[in-house]
Amino acid sequence: MSMLGKPMDRVDGVLKVTGRARYAGEYPEEGLLYGSVVSSTIASGRVLRIDASAALALPGVVEVIDHGNRPPMAGDDEQYSDEDAADGKPFRPLYNDRVLYNGQPLALVVAENLELARHAGSLVRIEYVEHPWSSDLRAELGNAEPAPAELPEPRGDFDAAYAAAAYQVHATYETPAEHHNPMEPHASTVFYKADGSLEVHDKTQGTQNCQTYLCQTLGLEKEKVRVLAAFVGGAFGSGLRPQYQLPLAAMAALKLRRSVRVTLTRQQMFTFGYRPRTVQHLRLASDAGGKLVAVAHHAIGQTSRFEKFTEHVVEWSGMLYHCDNVKLSYDLVPVDLYTPLDMRAPGAALGLIGLECAMDELAEQVKMDPVTFRELNFSDHNQNEGKPYSSKALIACYSEGKARFNWARRKAEPRSLRNGRKLVGLGMAGGVWEAMQMPASAKASLGKDGTLTVSTATTDIGTGTYTALTQIAAQAAGMPPERITIKLGDSSLPKAPLQGGSFTISSVGTAVQQACEALHKQLLTAAASIDPDFATVTLERVRFTESALVWGDKQLSFTDLVHASAVEAIEVQVDAQPDKKREQFSTATHSAVFAEVEVDEDLGTVHVTRVVSTVAAGKVVNPKTAHSQILGGVVWGIGMALHEETLTDHAFGRHMNHNLAEYHIPVQADIGQIDVVFVDEEDTVVNALGSKGVGEIGLVGVAAAVANAIYNATGKRVRDFPITLDKLLDGPAHL
């Protein structure tokens, strides 16, 4: 029986619900010290003096580390590797006396317990000289400059096609900064070993990335640093780059030759990367029949003064629909805040807001149903790349979504449907996300007890990676899942890419599949050493049962094969690469999102009563965990549409709602019925598994679908996100 496509329970579920799954800030050790970060209270300037005398006078306070007494760093502030770094000079905590943003770590108090460390931190006094600064994207638009992005070249003649078109839309959409806020805050526990080596437990999406970072910044040998992340309590992109608690904890451990833990507070979770604020200008045009003839998407995003972080916001507008005249551009505005960071569905979650809202506005001008309009402009090629899609079941997503959602009840005229005093609106949007594959390695090891251990350095950030890889290994090895152990989250394991971009299963899953298949070859070789008859047998002629190799009436158990090999385990490691046949195609997941809203006519409050998300993601390895991924994405999309924004006090360059009470996200009462549908889609090009990944696609398009539904309910186009009741009530007393 095939294990792929089966709704298997999480193999790590019991560990998590019983509390036996340890996270980065939970590993114990006798004599462990605790660090508390002291943060900047200005947005730009220099530190003149740090007075830690009052803190150091407290019994139990061991040290206060700052730029003046930290351990040495290797090289300068440009010489280190980070797989998710932006162009520019990456930030290093305690590197010098410069203050680059409000909330920057300037000192670390190390004490015998966390409460004491935090109290001592409040006693540290810092004197500054302030420099002129600005944290407001809008105020700095005049300083925008082209981003260092590899954008598709313009195609056709946009200006001429737009000017001559029968219908045109020219609209500006704004999205706010958002912070990741996973349930588990960022933490690093660094165990200092007798030989001077470091065992680091970090909240990260890439253990090997963190290992490289620590070695290069602190001048350490790779053999002296091991980074582990067995369990990660959510990340959404916040763990792609090493965050500052990691080097601070390592510096303290090296300086004191003691084990140290640094855990960031919820407020400090707002002092590093975030989804950047954007201003997006969309110009779309069609002919009289509704065919797109011109698309221009210009986005402006904020970045820090020291790095040029570039989102992939506009590319989607050149690939989702067919259009021969396209112009895409992206500018950056430097501000005195930290560098933005990839956040779930980076770029697409923002760019599809602009594109799909503008598509809705253009469909209205053409007087065409929004779904029909999109079907008319379907493209089976990615025109940005000039390649056909390996598969694109988007039409099936539209069709299935319309049926499940009962789209036929939608009225084109806004304010046509009511539920008492509430206006009812129906809206939809399309979605797209690249189906990528990265090089990855995995090891399969069959022990004397007949159990299979598969290992790779990738992490599981809560997406179900342990479970999906168990299913892939069981399928490839022909063994039951209960006899398979997956080892993840360890920098000493076979190389794996960062977990992000929805490419973990495509990349690491392929490596696991190939490693288990290669193990079969090793077992056949071992069989030949026991029984010479097996020396002439090919893999195609033998069978592998749950515990034995079988050929005709001959059978050799796995345990016998391992024992005969005179090793503790038969092992094979595979370095998997993307298949060359991918190069001729463009690969992507697609979706169609349908949303129903009710808007209180007097109060302006919005409730999303129903969402149908139809997804084309190739072969879904585990529909149960994949379903949850889409559910989570839809909830987040509702939050993007109606709730979520980081509010910055530009008088201080400081984020104001830096807690989970004031940083608004949807709660249970905000969520109505969500229906998730995976349409059938076979793809033999994307990878041997046929899997495209679902981590990102569930979020893409949701906010636009909700916004379009709000317009259908009220007749008001709100282009400044999130769509809060004050924006809906702006103008007449009633909607």
Side-chain angles (χ1 to χ4, degrees):
M1 184 182 73
S2 173
M3 289 301 303
L4 303 186
K6 303 300 180 184
M8 180 175 165
D9 290 344
R10 287 177 180 261
V11 298
D12 54 339
V14 173
L15 291 176
K16 288 185 173 181
V17 300
T18 58
R20 287 182 289 159
R22 279 195 172 136
Y23 295 84
E26 298 180 332
Y27 287 86
E29 184 178 89
E30 188 71 28
L32 181 68
L33 297 176
Y34 295 81
S36 180
V37 177
V38 181
S39 304
S40 163
T41 57
I42 67 170
S44 181
R46 289 190 177 274
V47 174
L48 295 178
R49 179 171 175 264
I50 296 179
D51 182 2
S53 57
L56 290 168
L58 294 176
V61 174
V62 178
E63 182 64 281
V64 177
I65 303 173
D66 59 37
H67 67 276
N69 65 352
R70 60 162 171 77
M73 288 186 180
D76 60 33
D77 61 350
E78 295 182 70
Q79 295 179 339
Y80 81 86
S81 173
D82 175 358
E83 287 185 47
D84 205 57
D87 288 356
K89 297 182 178 181
F91 170 75
R92 287 216 227 165
L94 310 190
Y95 182 72
N96 54 28
D97 63 352
R98 290 188 61 200
V99 178
L100 302 172
Y101 68 98
N102 200 314
Q104 176 180 323
L106 297 180
L108 181 72
V109 177
V110 184
E112 293 175 355
N113 61 68
L114 179 59
E115 294 77 13
L116 177 60
R118 288 187 178 174
H119 171 61
S122 70
L123 303 179
V124 175
R125 297 291 176 258
I126 303 177
E127 296 178 18
Y128 310 94
V129 56
E130 284 195 73
H131 295 164
W133 56 272
S134 174
S135 60
D136 188 355
L137 169 70
R138 270 287 177 187
E140 297 295 309
L141 285 178
N143 296 321
E145 55 190 35
E150 296 180 5
L151 292 174
E153 290 293 322
R155 60 179 182 262
D157 187 342
F158 167 81
D159 293 324
Y162 184 80
Y167 298 102
Q168 301 171 337
V169 165
H170 187 178
T172 298
Y173 304 90
E174 296 195 37
T175 64
E178 300 171 0
H179 277 81
H180 301 74
N181 280 305
M183 287 295 290
E184 179 199 13
H186 278 267
S188 299
T189 301
V190 179
F191 293 138
Y192 186 86
K193 303 296 185 179
D195 62 356
S197 64
L198 303 179
E199 179 186 302
V200 182
H201 295 270
D202 188 58
K203 189 243 179 56
T204 178
Q205 290 171 251
T207 56
Q208 291 168 331
N209 189 33
C210 288
Q211 180 193 43
T212 300
Y213 170 85
L214 285 177
C215 291
Q216 293 190 357
T217 55
L218 299 177
L220 305 173
E221 297 176 4
K222 230 168 193 179
E223 296 72 25
K224 292 287 189 179
V225 179
R226 183 183 180 190
V227 179
L228 301 104
F231 297 97
V232 180
F236 315 121
S238 67
L240 290 173
R241 299 189 71 175
Q243 301 303 348
Y244 63 74
Q245 89 288 336
L246 174 64
L248 290 180
M251 280 191 277
L254 291 170
K255 181 177 177 67
L256 301 172
R257 298 187 179 184
R258 297 272 301 274
S259 296
V260 179
R261 173 177 298 150
V262 178
T263 302
L264 300 186
T265 65
R266 181 57 61 181
Q267 289 75 19
Q268 288 168 342
M269 293 288 288
F270 286 77
T271 59
F272 51 84
Y274 52 91
R275 197 192 301 277
R277 182 182 176 188
T278 69
V279 178
Q280 301 178 46
H281 302 293
L282 272 293
R283 286 182 290 166
L284 271 59
S286 77
D287 63 19
K291 292 285 288 185
L292 281 173
V293 296
V295 172
H297 193 165
H298 176 63
I300 306 169
Q302 69 185 45
T303 188
S304 66
R305 300 281 185 195
F306 48 92
E307 286 182 294
K308 295 181 178 181
F309 177 81
T310 304
E311 282 269 64
H312 295 282
V313 174
V314 300
E315 291 93 321
W316 321 98
S317 293
M319 63 187 281
L320 185 53
Y321 304 108
H322 182 90
C323 186
D324 295 327
N325 303 286
V326 176
K327 183 166 62 174
L328 309 172
S329 54
Y330 189 91
D331 285 347
L332 288 179
V333 172
V335 293
D336 293 286
L337 294 171
Y338 193 79
T339 308
L341 175 62
D342 287 339
M343 193 171 185
R344 192 176 188 178
L350 300 176
L352 269 292
I353 287 178
L355 174 64
E356 289 301 289
C357 287
M359 286 287 287
D360 205 66
E361 296 195 38
L362 188 55
E364 184 185 30
Q365 282 198 32
V366 180
K367 299 190 185 312
M368 188 176 288
D369 176 83
V371 180
T372 305
F373 182 59
R374 287 168 172 81
E375 289 173 334
L376 178 66
N377 289 289
F378 176 84
S379 178
D380 60 5
H381 278 63
N382 180 344
Q383 290 179 276
N384 287 347
E385 300 177 352
K387 298 177 182 179
Y389 284 105
S390 58
S391 60
K392 185 178 180 180
L394 183 54
I395 296 295
C397 290
Y398 294 146
S399 178
E400 187 72 20
K402 285 193 298 183
R404 293 288 188 104
F405 190 71
N406 191 15
W407 180 253
R409 69 185 283 258
R410 178 185 182 270
K411 305 296 183 183
E413 183 68 25
R415 306 177 68 90
S416 295
L417 295 177
R418 288 179 174 273
N419 179 13
R421 292 292 299 166
K422 294 179 179 178
L423 300 165
V424 178
L426 282 65
M428 62 83 56
V432 59
W433 180 258
E434 291 179 289
M436 297 172 281
Q437 184 181 354
M438 306 295 178
S441 303
K443 178 188 290 185
S445 176
L446 185 66
K448 289 182 176 179
D449 59 356
T451 60
L452 175 64
T453 300
V454 178
S455 56
T456 178
T458 195
T459 56
D460 186 337
I461 58 175
T463 53
T465 306
Y466 279 108
T467 309
L469 293 183
T470 298
Q471 291 176 263
I472 293 168
Q475 175 74 19
M479 296 177 65
E482 56 269 19
R483 290 178 54 199
I484 296 173
T485 298
I486 304 293
K487 289 187 176 181
L488 304 176
D490 185 339
S491 62
S492 68
L493 297 178
K495 184 172 177 59
L498 295 167
Q499 180 167 80
S502 298
F503 53 65
T504 297
I505 296 304
S506 299
S507 308
V508 180
T510 297
V512 168
Q513 180 187 47
Q514 292 181 6
C516 292
E517 291 171 349
L519 183 65
H520 281 174
K521 296 179 182 179
Q522 296 289 87
L523 291 173
L524 184 56
T525 300
S529 67
I530 297 176
D531 186 340
D533 288 346
F534 280 91
T536 60
V537 180
T538 63
L539 271 176
E540 291 73 25
R541 296 175 60 193
V542 300
R543 289 188 301 112
F544 291 88
T545 68
E546 293 184 355
S547 59
L549 185 157
V550 180
W551 176 45
D553 59 355
K554 294 189 174 186
Q555 178 171 305
L556 294 173
S557 71
F558 292 159
T559 53
D560 287 343
L561 292 174
V562 178
H563 281 284
S565 300
V567 293
E568 289 300 312
I570 295 177
E571 293 184 343
V572 59
Q573 181 169 323
V574 166
D575 301 322
Q577 299 287 334
D579 197 303
K580 290 288 186 183
K581 64 184 177 182
R582 285 176 56 100
E583 297 174 2
Q584 305 303 315
F585 295 89
S586 183
T587 56
T589 55
H590 292 89
S591 67
V593 184
F594 296 79
E596 178 186 80
V597 301
E598 290 185 352
V599 183
D600 191 293
E601 193 170 11
D602 298 306
L603 302 178
T605 54
V606 180
H607 184 221
V608 180
T609 52
R610 202 157 53 97
V611 173
V612 172
S613 177
T614 53
V615 180
K619 180 71 173 180
V620 177
V621 173
N622 187 334
K624 189 171 188 176
T625 53
H627 180 270
S628 293
Q629 283 291 295
I630 303 299
L631 283 180
V634 169
V635 172
W636 194 333
I638 293 170
M640 288 186 72
L642 303 177
H643 305 278
E644 190 170 354
E645 62 178 323
T646 300
L647 299 170
T648 306
D649 184 346
H650 297 301
F652 298 96
R654 181 185 306 154
H655 303 310
M656 297 183 289
N657 57 335
H658 57 325
N659 55 70
L660 292 185
E662 296 172 288
Y663 186 84
H664 293 168
I665 56 176
V667 296
Q668 191 70 24
D670 296 311
I671 305 302
Q673 177 185 338
I674 301 175
D675 191 7
V676 178
V677 181
F678 293 107
V679 303
D680 290 335
E681 185 179 57
E682 184 176 350
D683 195 320
T684 59
V685 172
V686 65
N687 51 59
L689 295 166
S691 173
K692 293 183 175 181
V694 297
E696 259 72 17
I697 193 64
L699 171 57
V700 178
V702 178
V706 172
N708 293 336
I710 290 173
Y711 172 76
N712 183 245
T714 66
K716 294 194 72 168
R717 290 278 184 194
V718 180
R719 301 183 181 96
D720 182 10
F721 288 75
I723 303 173
T724 49
L725 60 87
D726 56 309
K727 296 169 186 174
L728 280 172
L729 292 175
D730 185 28
H734 298 283
L735 285 171

